[in-house]
C-alpha cells in the first residue's frame, strides 16, 4: 500500500509539474490584433516589428488581422473573444473601432488579462494595462506649427486653409486634431487663415477612415462645394500620409504645370509620402519611430508576463482611469532632412 501510495503521489506530482509547465508556456503566448494593412500599409510593418521585438524576449506570438471596416471591427472582436477562450492571457491590440470593443464588453469578467494597446488607444476601459503610442497631441501641434510657419513665411495677410481628421472610431484622431486646432484657432478667429468650408470642428472634418481613397474623395467634394473651378486651398491639414496622398492625387488633376502645390501635412513617413515631398507636392510628414514603438510594446508585455510593473514615466487618462503610457519619438520630416531620415516602411 505504501508503494502504491508513493507511486500515486509521484504520478500526481508529475501531472502537477506538467500542468505548471503548460501554464508557464501559456503565459508566454502573446496574441497580436492589428488592422490588415490593406488601407494602411504601415500595419504590415507594425506586425513584423512586433513579432521580431517580442521574439527577443522569448515570447511566442499568434497574429490576427481584420479589415478596417465595420465588419472588420466585428471580426476583430470575435478574434479577441476566441483568443480569450483559448487561454491566452497576453494581448497586444490596435483597435479597429475602440467603441465597438467597449460596447461588446469583450474584456468583461476577465481580470487576469494583460492588455497592451499598440499605437491606438482604447479609452473608457479599465482593463487596459498600458499604452504604447506617441505624444498624440504633440503630433498635431507639429503639423499646425508647420502650417503656421508657411503662413508667416508667405508674407500674405491671409491664406486659405482646409482641415481633415481621422475617423471617430480611432481615439487618436481627435487628439491629433485637437493638438493642431488649438494652435490654428487664433489665426482662424483672427481672419488670417480663412476656412472657406467653415468646417472647423473635429466631427465636421472627421473622415470615414484613414485611407487614400477617402482623403481624395472628401477633398474633391470640398473643392467642388466651396472653391471655384481650378482653385484650391493654400494650406491643408492632412491627418496622415494616406489621406494627404489622396489629396495630392486630386490636386494633380487641377494644379497647373510648374504651379506651387499647397502646404500639406501628414504622418507615418511612408515611402509614397516621401516621394511626394521630394517632388514638391507634399510638404511634411511625421515619423513615429515604428520600430521603437514595437520594442516599447514588447518591453511592456515582457514586464507584465514576468509580473513586473511596466517602467513608464507618463500616464494618460482614458476617461475612467489613468493608464501608464510609453511613447516613441516624433520626428518632423521635410525636404530639408528627407535624405537623412529613413522611411518608416
Amino acid at each position: 500500500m505504501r508503494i502504491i501510495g508513493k507511486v500515486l503521489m509521484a504520478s500526481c506530482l508529475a501531472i502537477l509539474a506538467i500542468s505548471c509547465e503548460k501554464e508557464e508556456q501559456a503565459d508566454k503566448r502573446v496574441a497580436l490584433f492589428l488592422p490588415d494593412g490593406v488601407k494602411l500599409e504601415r500595419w504590415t510593418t507594425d506586425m513584423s516589428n512586433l513579432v521580431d521585438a517580442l521574439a527577443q524576449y522569448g515570447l511566442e506570438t499568434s497574429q490576427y488581422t481584420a479589415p478596417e471596416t465595420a465588419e472588420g471591427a466585428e471580426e476583430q472582436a470575435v478574434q479577441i473573444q476566441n483568443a480569450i477562450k483559448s487561454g491566452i492571457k497576453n494581448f497586444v491590440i490596435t483597435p479597429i473601432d475602440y467603441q465597438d470593443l467597449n460596447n461588446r464588453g469583450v474584456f468583461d469578467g476577465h481580470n487576469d488579462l494583460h492588455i497592451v494597446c499598440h499605437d491606438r488607444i482604447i479609452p473608457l476601459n479599465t482593463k487596459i494595462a498600458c499604452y504604447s503610442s506617441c505624444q498624440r497631441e504633440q503630433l498635431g501641434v507639429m503639423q499646425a506649427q508647420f502650417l503656421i510657419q508657411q503662413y508667416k513665411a508667405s508674407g500674405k495677410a491671409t491664406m486659405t486653409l482646409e482641415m481633415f481628421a481621422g475617423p471617430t472610431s480611432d481615439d487618436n484622431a481627435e487628439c491629433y486634431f485637437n493638438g493642431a486646432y488649438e494652435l490654428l484657432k487664433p489665426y482662424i478667429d483672427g481672419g488670417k487663415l480663412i476656412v472657406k468650408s467653415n468646417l472647423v470642428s473635429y466631427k465636421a472634418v472627421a473622415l470615414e477612415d484613414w485611407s487614400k481613397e477617402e482623403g481624395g474623395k472628401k477633398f474633391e467634394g470640398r473643392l467642388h462645394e466651396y472653391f471655384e473651378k481650378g482653385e484650391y486651398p493654400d494650406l491643408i491639414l492632412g491627418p496622415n500620409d494616406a489621406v494627404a496622398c489622396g489629396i495630392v492625387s486630386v490636386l494633380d488633376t487641377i494644379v497647373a504645370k510648374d504651379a506651387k502645390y499647397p502646404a500639406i501635412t501628414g504622418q507615418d513617413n511612408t515611402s509614397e509620402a516621401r516621394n511626394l515631398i521630394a517632388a514638391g507636392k507634399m510638404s511634411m510628414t511625421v515619423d513615429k519611430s515604428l520600430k521603437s514603438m514595437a520594442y516599447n510594446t514588447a518591453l511592456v508585455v515582457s514586464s507584465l508576463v514576468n509580473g513586473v510593473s511596466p517602467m513608464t514615466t507618463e500616464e494618460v487618462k482614458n476617461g475612467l482611469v489613468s493608464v501608464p503610457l510609453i511613447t516613441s519619438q516624433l520626428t518632423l520630416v521635410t525636404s530639408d532632412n528627407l535624405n537623412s531620415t529613413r522611411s518608416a516602411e
Side-chain angles (χ1 to χ4, degrees), residues 1 19 25 40 48 66 72 107 133 150 175 192 220 230 236 240 255 263 311 320 326-328 333 337:
M1 290 295 292
S19 176
Q25 291 174 350
L40 292 182
S48 177
F107 309 124
S133 189
Q150 300 306 301
C175 290
K192 295 177 180 179
E220 190 169 28
I236 300 174
N240 74 330
V255 176
M311 293 291 292
L320 295 176
I326 185 169
T327 60
S328 61
V333 179
N337 65 343

Side-chain angles (χ1 to χ4, degrees), residues 181-249:
Y181 187 63
E182 186 175 354
L183 268 67
L184 294 169
K185 187 176 186 300
Y187 291 86
I188 295 170
D189 291 346
K192 295 177 180 179
L193 296 181
I194 301 170
V195 181
K196 284 193 172 186
S197 66
N198 202 34
L199 300 175
V200 295
S201 70
Y202 168 65
K203 289 187 177 180
V205 300
L207 303 175
E208 292 295 320
D209 56 45
W210 292 99
S211 70
K212 180 177 181 178
E213 293 73 20
E214 174 73 358
K217 180 179 70 174
K218 289 300 172 64
F219 179 63
E220 190 169 28
R222 192 98 51 104
L223 286 180
H224 177 74
E225 191 167 355
Y226 301 105
F227 289 81
E228 298 294 330
K229 185 176 181 179
E231 287 187 352
Y232 46 87
D234 299 307
L235 309 171
I236 300 174
L237 180 68
N240 74 330
D241 287 353
V243 170
C245 290
I247 290 171
V248 170
S249 67

